[in-house]
Amino acid sequence: MPISRERFAQGLTPEQFIERMEVNKERFVDNIRSNTFSFDDRQFFNNHPVSIAALGEDWCTDVIHFLPVVIKLAEEVPAIELRIFERDENLDLMDQYLKEGKYQSIPAIIVMDKDWNELGYYNERPEEVTRLMGVETQRFAKDNPQLEGANRSYDNMPEETRLAVRANSSNFRWNNMEEWNRYFIEDLKALVAGGVATAR
């Protein structure tokens, strides 16, 4: 069952979500400030009024990266109404918007049009970003043969290797933030336009 108007109204405003954050708040707020949109972006969303429900948690890197894009967009475009739900307190909602029908991936971005028709939803990050992250992880492992287990899955790496991989991934992400935000905005526009609605 799609999210109701009544449930949507119970969500947190961006200010309330930020107030409740316990980790990553400074980075999150900086990411909101640093986002910019083109005239065409703002015009598109002004011409397509939507309500957006976002599921997230402050410990998730993809939330810290991509939710600020939505918050800044809602600040700049009056036609967007945004409410945020902490995932772990709203698992009944999360279970309706699983990635690939099985993963509680966040952020989950659910979009409704002005007549409250669900246009679709979006999980985690753009596919191109996932691809680029995979390529970078392989490059890092190849260029750092001294790191034991660098080719293993993240959970099976020794702690020292895991920390090195995490640091590299973080640098790679934030160095590419502007480009990756553009992928995200284009994906969001495509969803709103009806081109990439995710199958339920």
Side-chain angles (χ1 to χ4, degrees), residues 104-159:
Q104 295 180 335
S105 302
I106 49 177
I109 310 292
I110 304 112
V111 183
M112 281 73 63
D113 68 14
K114 61 184 177 59
D115 298 316
W116 215 257
N117 298 304
E118 187 179 298
L119 299 175
Y121 69 100
Y122 190 98
N123 287 100
E124 207 168 23
R125 69 180 82 94
E127 287 184 19
E128 180 62 7
V129 170
T130 299
R131 187 190 72 77
L132 290 168
M133 289 174 72
V135 170
E136 174 59 17
T137 297
Q138 291 175 352
R139 182 210 63 79
F140 185 73
K142 182 179 177 185
D143 290 355
N144 292 276
Q146 77 282 4
L147 291 173
E148 181 189 348
N151 286 312
R152 297 180 195 162
S153 67
Y154 187 75
D155 290 340
N156 292 315
M157 292 175 184
E159 182 65 16

Short mmCIF file of all heavy atoms in Angstrom, two decimals, residues 104-159:
data_model
loop_
_atom_site.label_atom_id
_atom_site.label_comp_id
_atom_site.label_asym_id
_atom_site.label_seq_id
_atom_site.Cartn_x
_atom_site.Cartn_y
_atom_site.Cartn_z
N GLN A 104 16.94 -3.51 2.62
CA GLN A 104 16.43 -2.28 3.24
C GLN A 104 17.40 -1.13 2.96
O GLN A 104 17.89 -0.46 3.86
CB GLN A 104 16.25 -2.48 4.74
CG GLN A 104 15.18 -3.49 5.08
CD GLN A 104 15.00 -3.67 6.58
OE1 GLN A 104 15.91 -3.42 7.36
NE2 GLN A 104 13.83 -4.11 7.00
N SER A 105 17.70 -0.91 1.68
CA SER A 105 18.70 0.07 1.27
C SER A 105 18.18 1.50 1.41
O SER A 105 17.03 1.79 1.08
CB SER A 105 19.10 -0.17 -0.19
OG SER A 105 19.61 -1.49 -0.34
N ILE A 106 19.05 2.36 1.91
CA ILE A 106 18.69 3.76 2.09
C ILE A 106 19.78 4.66 1.49
O ILE A 106 20.92 4.21 1.34
CB ILE A 106 18.47 4.10 3.59
CG1 ILE A 106 19.64 3.58 4.45
CG2 ILE A 106 17.14 3.59 4.06
CD1 ILE A 106 19.54 3.94 5.93
N PRO A 107 19.41 5.87 1.10
CA PRO A 107 18.07 6.42 1.23
C PRO A 107 17.09 5.74 0.28
O PRO A 107 17.47 5.30 -0.80
CB PRO A 107 18.24 7.89 0.85
CG PRO A 107 19.41 7.90 -0.09
CD PRO A 107 20.33 6.82 0.43
N ALA A 108 15.85 5.65 0.71
CA ALA A 108 14.75 5.28 -0.18
C ALA A 108 13.95 6.55 -0.40
O ALA A 108 13.53 7.20 0.55
CB ALA A 108 13.88 4.20 0.45
N ILE A 109 13.80 6.91 -1.65
CA ILE A 109 13.13 8.16 -2.04
C ILE A 109 11.84 7.79 -2.75
O ILE A 109 11.87 7.22 -3.85
CB ILE A 109 14.03 8.99 -2.98
CG1 ILE A 109 15.45 9.16 -2.42
CG2 ILE A 109 13.39 10.33 -3.33
CD1 ILE A 109 15.57 9.99 -1.20
N ILE A 110 10.70 8.10 -2.14
CA ILE A 110 9.39 7.76 -2.71
C ILE A 110 8.74 9.04 -3.20
O ILE A 110 8.68 10.03 -2.46
CB ILE A 110 8.50 7.07 -1.67
CG1 ILE A 110 9.20 5.83 -1.09
CG2 ILE A 110 7.16 6.67 -2.27
CD1 ILE A 110 9.59 5.96 0.35
N VAL A 111 8.27 9.02 -4.45
CA VAL A 111 7.78 10.25 -5.09
C VAL A 111 6.31 10.12 -5.47
O VAL A 111 5.91 9.16 -6.15
CB VAL A 111 8.62 10.57 -6.34
CG1 VAL A 111 8.18 11.89 -6.96
CG2 VAL A 111 10.12 10.62 -6.00
N MET A 112 5.51 11.09 -5.02
CA MET A 112 4.08 11.16 -5.35
C MET A 112 3.81 12.45 -6.14
O MET A 112 4.38 13.49 -5.82
CB MET A 112 3.22 11.18 -4.08
CG MET A 112 3.03 9.82 -3.42
SD MET A 112 4.49 9.20 -2.57
CE MET A 112 4.74 10.41 -1.27
N ASP A 113 2.91 12.35 -7.13
CA ASP A 113 2.56 13.56 -7.87
C ASP A 113 1.51 14.36 -7.11
O ASP A 113 1.10 13.99 -6.00
CB ASP A 113 2.11 13.23 -9.30
CG ASP A 113 0.78 12.48 -9.38
OD1 ASP A 113 0.04 12.43 -8.36
OD2 ASP A 113 0.46 11.95 -10.46
N LYS A 114 1.05 15.48 -7.70
CA LYS A 114 0.13 16.38 -6.99
C LYS A 114 -1.22 15.72 -6.70
O LYS A 114 -1.93 16.15 -5.80
CB LYS A 114 -0.07 17.68 -7.79
CG LYS A 114 -0.66 17.50 -9.16
CD LYS A 114 -0.71 18.83 -9.90
CE LYS A 114 -1.23 18.70 -11.31
NZ LYS A 114 -2.56 18.14 -11.42
N ASP A 115 -1.57 14.67 -7.44
CA ASP A 115 -2.82 13.94 -7.19
C ASP A 115 -2.60 12.71 -6.29
O ASP A 115 -3.48 11.87 -6.15
CB ASP A 115 -3.44 13.51 -8.53
CG ASP A 115 -3.81 14.70 -9.39
OD1 ASP A 115 -4.37 15.67 -8.85
OD2 ASP A 115 -3.50 14.67 -10.60
N TRP A 116 -1.41 12.63 -5.71
CA TRP A 116 -1.01 11.55 -4.80
C TRP A 116 -0.94 10.18 -5.48
O TRP A 116 -1.18 9.14 -4.89
CB TRP A 116 -1.89 11.49 -3.55
CG TRP A 116 -1.08 11.08 -2.36
CD1 TRP A 116 -1.06 9.83 -1.76
CD2 TRP A 116 -0.13 11.85 -1.64
NE1 TRP A 116 -0.16 9.80 -0.73
CE2 TRP A 116 0.43 11.04 -0.63
CE3 TRP A 116 0.32 13.17 -1.76
CZ2 TRP A 116 1.39 11.49 0.26
CZ3 TRP A 116 1.28 13.63 -0.88
CH2 TRP A 116 1.80 12.79 0.11
N ASN A 117 -0.58 10.19 -6.75
CA ASN A 117 -0.23 8.94 -7.43
C ASN A 117 1.26 8.70 -7.20
O ASN A 117 2.08 9.61 -7.39
CB ASN A 117 -0.50 9.05 -8.93
CG ASN A 117 -1.96 9.30 -9.23
OD1 ASN A 117 -2.82 8.54 -8.81
ND2 ASN A 117 -2.24 10.38 -9.95
N GLU A 118 1.61 7.49 -6.80
CA GLU A 118 3.02 7.18 -6.60
C GLU A 118 3.70 7.03 -7.95
O GLU A 118 3.33 6.17 -8.76
CB GLU A 118 3.17 5.90 -5.78
CG GLU A 118 4.60 5.62 -5.39
CD GLU A 118 4.74 4.36 -4.57
OE1 GLU A 118 4.16 4.30 -3.46
OE2 GLU A 118 5.42 3.43 -5.04
N LEU A 119 4.70 7.84 -8.20
CA LEU A 119 5.42 7.81 -9.47
C LEU A 119 6.51 6.75 -9.47
O LEU A 119 6.95 6.30 -10.52
CB LEU A 119 6.04 9.18 -9.76
CG LEU A 119 5.04 10.33 -9.90
CD1 LEU A 119 5.78 11.65 -10.06
CD2 LEU A 119 4.10 10.08 -11.07
N GLY A 120 6.94 6.37 -8.30
CA GLY A 120 7.99 5.36 -8.18
C GLY A 120 8.87 5.66 -6.99
O GLY A 120 8.59 6.58 -6.21
N TYR A 121 9.91 4.87 -6.84
CA TYR A 121 10.84 5.10 -5.74
C TYR A 121 12.26 4.76 -6.18
O TYR A 121 12.47 4.14 -7.22
CB TYR A 121 10.44 4.32 -4.50
CG TYR A 121 10.59 2.82 -4.58
CD1 TYR A 121 11.69 2.18 -4.01
CD2 TYR A 121 9.61 2.03 -5.20
CE1 TYR A 121 11.81 0.80 -4.07
CE2 TYR A 121 9.73 0.66 -5.25
CZ TYR A 121 10.83 0.05 -4.69
OH TYR A 121 10.96 -1.32 -4.75
N TYR A 122 13.19 5.22 -5.37
CA TYR A 122 14.60 5.17 -5.72
C TYR A 122 15.37 4.73 -4.48
O TYR A 122 15.13 5.26 -3.39
CB TYR A 122 15.00 6.59 -6.12
CG TYR A 122 16.36 6.73 -6.74
CD1 TYR A 122 16.51 6.78 -8.12
CD2 TYR A 122 17.50 6.85 -5.95
CE1 TYR A 122 17.75 6.94 -8.69
CE2 TYR A 122 18.75 7.00 -6.52
CZ TYR A 122 18.87 7.04 -7.89
OH TYR A 122 20.10 7.19 -8.46
N ASN A 123 16.27 3.78 -4.63
CA ASN A 123 17.03 3.29 -3.48
C ASN A 123 18.52 3.58 -3.63
O ASN A 123 19.10 3.40 -4.70
CB ASN A 123 16.89 1.77 -3.33
CG ASN A 123 15.54 1.35 -2.81
OD1 ASN A 123 14.70 0.94 -3.59
ND2 ASN A 123 15.31 1.46 -1.51
N GLU A 124 19.10 3.97 -2.54
CA GLU A 124 20.54 3.97 -2.31
C GLU A 124 21.29 5.01 -3.13
O GLU A 124 21.58 6.09 -2.63
CB GLU A 124 21.11 2.56 -2.57
CG GLU A 124 22.35 2.26 -1.82
CD GLU A 124 22.72 0.78 -1.88
OE1 GLU A 124 22.30 0.06 -2.81
OE2 GLU A 124 23.41 0.34 -0.97
N ARG A 125 21.64 4.69 -4.37
CA ARG A 125 22.50 5.57 -5.16
C ARG A 125 22.31 5.27 -6.65
O ARG A 125 21.79 4.20 -7.01
CB ARG A 125 23.97 5.37 -4.77
CG ARG A 125 24.52 4.03 -5.19
CD ARG A 125 25.98 3.85 -4.81
NE ARG A 125 26.14 3.43 -3.44
CZ ARG A 125 26.24 2.15 -3.07
NH1 ARG A 125 26.17 1.18 -3.97
NH2 ARG A 125 26.39 1.82 -1.81
N PRO A 126 22.74 6.18 -7.53
CA PRO A 126 22.66 5.91 -8.96
C PRO A 126 23.46 4.66 -9.35
O PRO A 126 24.53 4.40 -8.77
CB PRO A 126 23.26 7.17 -9.60
CG PRO A 126 23.07 8.24 -8.57
CD PRO A 126 23.22 7.54 -7.25
N GLU A 127 22.96 3.92 -10.31
CA GLU A 127 23.66 2.71 -10.76
C GLU A 127 25.06 3.03 -11.25
O GLU A 127 26.00 2.25 -11.04
CB GLU A 127 22.86 2.02 -11.87
CG GLU A 127 21.62 1.31 -11.36
CD GLU A 127 20.89 0.55 -12.47
OE1 GLU A 127 21.51 0.27 -13.51
OE2 GLU A 127 19.70 0.24 -12.27
N GLU A 128 25.23 4.18 -11.92
CA GLU A 128 26.54 4.55 -12.43
C GLU A 128 27.52 4.77 -11.28
O GLU A 128 28.71 4.44 -11.39
CB GLU A 128 26.45 5.80 -13.30
CG GLU A 128 27.77 6.29 -13.87
CD GLU A 128 28.46 5.30 -14.81
OE1 GLU A 128 27.88 4.25 -15.17
OE2 GLU A 128 29.61 5.59 -15.20
N VAL A 129 27.05 5.29 -10.17
CA VAL A 129 27.91 5.48 -9.00
C VAL A 129 28.35 4.13 -8.44
O VAL A 129 29.53 3.94 -8.12
CB VAL A 129 27.18 6.31 -7.93
CG1 VAL A 129 27.96 6.31 -6.61
CG2 VAL A 129 26.97 7.75 -8.41
N THR A 130 27.43 3.19 -8.36
CA THR A 130 27.78 1.84 -7.89
C THR A 130 28.85 1.23 -8.80
O THR A 130 29.81 0.62 -8.33
CB THR A 130 26.53 0.94 -7.85
OG1 THR A 130 25.60 1.51 -6.92
CG2 THR A 130 26.87 -0.47 -7.41
N ARG A 131 28.68 1.40 -10.11
CA ARG A 131 29.66 0.86 -11.07
C ARG A 131 31.04 1.50 -10.86
O ARG A 131 32.06 0.81 -10.78
CB ARG A 131 29.18 1.10 -12.50
CG ARG A 131 30.06 0.42 -13.56
CD ARG A 131 29.72 0.88 -14.97
NE ARG A 131 30.15 2.24 -15.23
CZ ARG A 131 31.41 2.61 -15.48
NH1 ARG A 131 32.38 1.70 -15.49
NH2 ARG A 131 31.70 3.86 -15.71
N LEU A 132 31.06 2.83 -10.75
CA LEU A 132 32.32 3.54 -10.58
C LEU A 132 33.01 3.15 -9.27
O LEU A 132 34.23 3.02 -9.22
CB LEU A 132 32.08 5.05 -10.62
CG LEU A 132 31.69 5.61 -11.99
CD1 LEU A 132 31.20 7.05 -11.85
CD2 LEU A 132 32.85 5.52 -12.98
N MET A 133 32.22 2.96 -8.22
CA MET A 133 32.79 2.55 -6.94
C MET A 133 33.42 1.16 -7.04
O MET A 133 34.49 0.90 -6.47
CB MET A 133 31.71 2.58 -5.85
CG MET A 133 31.28 3.98 -5.46
SD MET A 133 29.88 4.00 -4.31
CE MET A 133 30.66 3.44 -2.81
N GLY A 134 32.77 0.27 -7.78
CA GLY A 134 33.33 -1.07 -7.98
C GLY A 134 34.65 -1.03 -8.74
O GLY A 134 35.62 -1.73 -8.38
N VAL A 135 34.71 -0.20 -9.79
CA VAL A 135 35.94 -0.06 -10.58
C VAL A 135 37.06 0.49 -9.70
O VAL A 135 38.20 0.03 -9.74
CB VAL A 135 35.70 0.87 -11.79
CG1 VAL A 135 37.01 1.24 -12.47
CG2 VAL A 135 34.76 0.19 -12.79
N GLU A 136 36.74 1.49 -8.87
CA GLU A 136 37.74 2.09 -7.99
C GLU A 136 38.23 1.09 -6.94
O GLU A 136 39.42 1.03 -6.63
CB GLU A 136 37.18 3.34 -7.32
CG GLU A 136 38.09 3.97 -6.28
CD GLU A 136 39.45 4.40 -6.80
OE1 GLU A 136 39.64 4.53 -8.04
OE2 GLU A 136 40.36 4.59 -5.97
N THR A 137 37.34 0.29 -6.40
CA THR A 137 37.73 -0.71 -5.41
C THR A 137 38.70 -1.70 -6.02
O THR A 137 39.71 -2.08 -5.39
CB THR A 137 36.49 -1.43 -4.86
OG1 THR A 137 35.66 -0.47 -4.19
CG2 THR A 137 36.86 -2.54 -3.89
N GLN A 138 38.44 -2.13 -7.26
CA GLN A 138 39.34 -3.06 -7.95
C GLN A 138 40.69 -2.41 -8.22
O GLN A 138 41.75 -3.03 -8.05
CB GLN A 138 38.71 -3.54 -9.25
CG GLN A 138 37.52 -4.45 -9.03
CD GLN A 138 36.81 -4.82 -10.33
OE1 GLN A 138 37.11 -4.29 -11.39
NE2 GLN A 138 35.85 -5.72 -10.22
N ARG A 139 40.68 -1.14 -8.64
CA ARG A 139 41.93 -0.42 -8.89
C ARG A 139 42.76 -0.31 -7.62
O ARG A 139 43.97 -0.56 -7.61
CB ARG A 139 41.64 0.99 -9.43
CG ARG A 139 42.92 1.79 -9.76
CD ARG A 139 42.76 3.28 -9.56
NE ARG A 139 42.48 3.68 -8.21
CZ ARG A 139 43.38 3.79 -7.24
NH1 ARG A 139 44.64 3.47 -7.45
NH2 ARG A 139 43.02 4.19 -6.02
N PHE A 140 42.09 0.03 -6.52
CA PHE A 140 42.79 0.20 -5.25
C PHE A 140 43.42 -1.11 -4.80
O PHE A 140 44.56 -1.14 -4.33
CB PHE A 140 41.81 0.72 -4.19
CG PHE A 140 42.45 1.04 -2.88
CD1 PHE A 140 43.26 2.16 -2.74
CD2 PHE A 140 42.24 0.21 -1.79
CE1 PHE A 140 43.86 2.44 -1.51
CE2 PHE A 140 42.84 0.49 -0.56
CZ PHE A 140 43.65 1.61 -0.43
N ALA A 141 42.69 -2.20 -4.93
CA ALA A 141 43.23 -3.51 -4.54
C ALA A 141 44.45 -3.87 -5.39
O ALA A 141 45.47 -4.35 -4.87
CB ALA A 141 42.15 -4.58 -4.67
N LYS A 142 44.36 -3.61 -6.69
CA LYS A 142 45.47 -3.94 -7.60
C LYS A 142 46.71 -3.11 -7.29
O LYS A 142 47.84 -3.60 -7.34
CB LYS A 142 45.02 -3.72 -9.04
CG LYS A 142 46.07 -4.07 -10.08
CD LYS A 142 45.55 -3.84 -11.48
CE LYS A 142 46.63 -4.12 -12.50
NZ LYS A 142 46.19 -3.80 -13.88
N ASP A 143 46.50 -1.82 -6.97
CA ASP A 143 47.61 -0.91 -6.71
C ASP A 143 48.18 -1.02 -5.30
O ASP A 143 49.17 -0.38 -4.98
CB ASP A 143 47.18 0.54 -6.96
CG ASP A 143 46.94 0.84 -8.44
OD1 ASP A 143 47.20 -0.06 -9.27
OD2 ASP A 143 46.48 1.95 -8.75
N ASN A 144 47.54 -1.82 -4.46
CA ASN A 144 47.99 -1.97 -3.07
C ASN A 144 48.08 -3.45 -2.69
O ASN A 144 47.39 -3.91 -1.77
CB ASN A 144 47.04 -1.22 -2.13
CG ASN A 144 47.12 0.28 -2.32
OD1 ASN A 144 47.99 0.94 -1.77
ND2 ASN A 144 46.22 0.81 -3.13
N PRO A 145 48.98 -4.20 -3.37
CA PRO A 145 49.07 -5.64 -3.11
C PRO A 145 49.55 -5.96 -1.70
O PRO A 145 49.37 -7.09 -1.23
CB PRO A 145 50.09 -6.12 -4.17
CG PRO A 145 50.88 -4.89 -4.51
CD PRO A 145 49.93 -3.75 -4.39
N GLN A 146 50.13 -4.97 -1.01
CA GLN A 146 50.60 -5.19 0.36
C GLN A 146 49.44 -5.31 1.35
O GLN A 146 49.63 -5.81 2.47
CB GLN A 146 51.54 -4.06 0.79
CG GLN A 146 50.87 -2.76 1.19
CD GLN A 146 50.38 -1.89 0.01
OE1 GLN A 146 50.49 -2.30 -1.15
NE2 GLN A 146 49.85 -0.72 0.32
N LEU A 147 48.24 -4.89 0.94
CA LEU A 147 47.09 -4.97 1.84
C LEU A 147 46.49 -6.38 1.78
O LEU A 147 45.93 -6.78 0.77
CB LEU A 147 46.03 -3.94 1.45
CG LEU A 147 46.40 -2.47 1.71
CD1 LEU A 147 45.33 -1.55 1.13
CD2 LEU A 147 46.57 -2.22 3.20
N GLU A 148 46.63 -7.10 2.86
CA GLU A 148 46.14 -8.48 2.92
C GLU A 148 44.63 -8.53 2.72
O GLU A 148 43.88 -7.78 3.34
CB GLU A 148 46.48 -9.10 4.27
CG GLU A 148 46.03 -10.54 4.42
CD GLU A 148 46.17 -11.06 5.85
OE1 GLU A 148 46.83 -10.39 6.65
OE2 GLU A 148 45.60 -12.12 6.13
N GLY A 149 44.18 -9.39 1.80
CA GLY A 149 42.76 -9.62 1.61
C GLY A 149 42.01 -8.48 0.93
O GLY A 149 40.78 -8.41 1.02
N ALA A 150 42.72 -7.61 0.21
CA ALA A 150 42.06 -6.45 -0.42
C ALA A 150 41.07 -6.88 -1.50
O ALA A 150 40.17 -6.11 -1.85
CB ALA A 150 43.10 -5.51 -1.02
N ASN A 151 41.21 -8.11 -2.02
CA ASN A 151 40.28 -8.60 -3.04
C ASN A 151 39.09 -9.34 -2.44
O ASN A 151 38.20 -9.77 -3.18
CB ASN A 151 41.01 -9.52 -4.03
CG ASN A 151 41.89 -8.72 -4.97
OD1 ASN A 151 41.44 -7.72 -5.53
ND2 ASN A 151 43.12 -9.14 -5.14
N ARG A 152 39.06 -9.49 -1.13
CA ARG A 152 37.94 -10.17 -0.48
C ARG A 152 36.75 -9.22 -0.39
O ARG A 152 36.87 -8.02 -0.56
CB ARG A 152 38.32 -10.61 0.92
CG ARG A 152 39.44 -11.62 0.99
CD ARG A 152 39.74 -11.98 2.43
NE ARG A 152 41.01 -12.66 2.58
CZ ARG A 152 41.65 -12.78 3.73
NH1 ARG A 152 41.14 -12.26 4.83
NH2 ARG A 152 42.79 -13.43 3.79
N SER A 153 35.59 -9.81 -0.06
CA SER A 153 34.44 -8.96 0.23
C SER A 153 34.76 -8.12 1.45
O SER A 153 35.57 -8.51 2.30
CB SER A 153 33.17 -9.79 0.46
OG SER A 153 33.30 -10.54 1.66
N TYR A 154 34.13 -6.97 1.55
CA TYR A 154 34.44 -6.00 2.61
C TYR A 154 34.38 -6.63 4.00
O TYR A 154 35.26 -6.42 4.84
CB TYR A 154 33.47 -4.83 2.49
CG TYR A 154 33.76 -3.67 3.40
CD1 TYR A 154 34.81 -2.80 3.13
CD2 TYR A 154 33.00 -3.45 4.54
CE1 TYR A 154 35.10 -1.74 3.98
CE2 TYR A 154 33.28 -2.39 5.39
CZ TYR A 154 34.33 -1.54 5.09
OH TYR A 154 34.61 -0.49 5.94
N ASP A 155 33.35 -7.42 4.25
CA ASP A 155 33.17 -8.02 5.57
C ASP A 155 34.24 -9.05 5.92
O ASP A 155 34.44 -9.38 7.09
CB ASP A 155 31.79 -8.68 5.68
CG ASP A 155 30.67 -7.66 5.70
OD1 ASP A 155 30.94 -6.48 6.01
OD2 ASP A 155 29.52 -8.04 5.41
N ASN A 156 34.93 -9.58 4.89
CA ASN A 156 35.93 -10.62 5.13
C ASN A 156 37.37 -10.10 5.07
O ASN A 156 38.31 -10.88 5.09
CB ASN A 156 35.75 -11.75 4.11
CG ASN A 156 34.46 -12.52 4.34
OD1 ASN A 156 34.13 -12.84 5.48
ND2 ASN A 156 33.72 -12.77 3.29
N MET A 157 37.53 -8.78 4.99
CA MET A 157 38.87 -8.20 4.98
C MET A 157 39.41 -8.10 6.41
O MET A 157 38.64 -7.86 7.35
CB MET A 157 38.84 -6.79 4.39
CG MET A 157 38.51 -6.72 2.92
SD MET A 157 38.36 -4.97 2.41
CE MET A 157 37.87 -5.20 0.70
N PRO A 158 40.74 -8.20 6.58
CA PRO A 158 41.32 -7.87 7.89
C PRO A 158 41.02 -6.40 8.22
O PRO A 158 40.85 -5.57 7.32
CB PRO A 158 42.82 -8.09 7.66
CG PRO A 158 42.92 -8.97 6.47
CD PRO A 158 41.74 -8.65 5.61
N GLU A 159 41.00 -6.08 9.49
CA GLU A 159 40.61 -4.74 9.93
C GLU A 159 41.46 -3.64 9.29
O GLU A 159 40.94 -2.62 8.84
CB GLU A 159 40.68 -4.64 11.46
CG GLU A 159 40.24 -3.30 12.02
CD GLU A 159 38.78 -2.97 11.78
OE1 GLU A 159 37.99 -3.89 11.45
OE2 GLU A 159 38.41 -1.79 11.91
#
